[in-house]
Amino acid sequence: MPPDQPRPAADGTPLPYVRFQSPHRNGRGHFTGVFGLANGLAREGRLSAPQEAFRRAGNRWYDAAYPDPSTVDPTVYDDAVHPGAAAWFKVTATHLLARVPGYLEILAAHGVDCRTARSADPGRIVYEDEVQIVVVPYG
C-alpha cells in the first residue's frame, strides 16, 4: 500500500499516524526516521548529484511546509525531558506524505532499510499540530 494511503486497523478503522524509520536502533537506542537516514547519507557524501539535489530541495520544501516542533518547544526532542521522542505524520497530511517516496527511493538505492510504521497510538503525545505528532514511545 502506498505510504500516503491510510491502512485500516483490524476493525476497519484507518490508523491515523504513520512514520518511516529504520528497523534498527541507532547508537542512542532510537529508530532513525526517513529524513535522518537520508541526511546521514548526505553527510557521508554517498548521494549522487541528483539525489543530493532532491534531498536539498525536499528538505527546504518540508521546512517551509510545516512547523518544526523544536521551534515551538525546544525541549520536545530533549532526551532528558522526552526520552526517545519521535515525530509521526498524520495520515491526513497527504501533501507531506506524497513526497516521502522520493526519499525512500534514495535509501533503497543505497541499501538502507526503512520501514513504514502505522499506529493508532504510537506513544505519549508531547507535541501536536495539524500534520504531525511527536510522541515518547511506550515502554
Side-chain angles (χ1 to χ4, degrees), residues 114-138:
C114 190
R115 301 287 190 262
T116 303
R118 299 174 192 279
S119 180
D121 185 14
R124 179 176 54 86
I125 297 174
V126 296
Y127 172 86
E128 182 170 8
D129 62 36
E130 291 181 6
V131 296
Q132 67 186 321
I133 59 172
V134 177
V135 303
V136 174
Y138 297 122

Side-chain angles (χ1 to χ4, degrees), residues 38-49 51-52 55 110:
N39 292 340
L41 289 173
R43 277 191 304 278
E44 295 168 3
R46 295 177 52 193
L47 299 183
S48 68
Q51 290 170 334
E52 178 61 5
R55 185 194 69 84
H110 291 274

Side-chain angles (χ1 to χ4, degrees), residues 36-129:
L37 293 170
N39 292 340
L41 289 173
R43 277 191 304 278
E44 295 168 3
R46 295 177 52 193
L47 299 183
S48 68
Q51 290 170 334
E52 178 61 5
F54 172 88
R55 185 194 69 84
R56 284 179 183 262
N59 286 359
R60 279 192 306 273
W61 184 87
Y62 276 107
D63 287 345
Y66 70 102
D68 174 349
S70 65
T71 63
V72 177
D73 176 0
T75 69
V76 75
Y77 292 116
D78 182 330
D79 252 356
V81 179
H82 302 296
W88 289 67
F89 286 114
K90 293 181 178 181
V91 296
T92 54
T94 55
H95 64 296
L96 301 178
L97 294 169
R99 293 181 180 239
V100 171
Y103 286 86
L104 298 176
E105 289 171 16
I106 289 171
L107 298 177
H110 291 274
V112 176
D113 289 336
C114 190
R115 301 287 190 262
T116 303
R118 299 174 192 279
S119 180
D121 185 14
R124 179 176 54 86
I125 297 174
V126 296
Y127 172 86
E128 182 170 8
D129 62 36

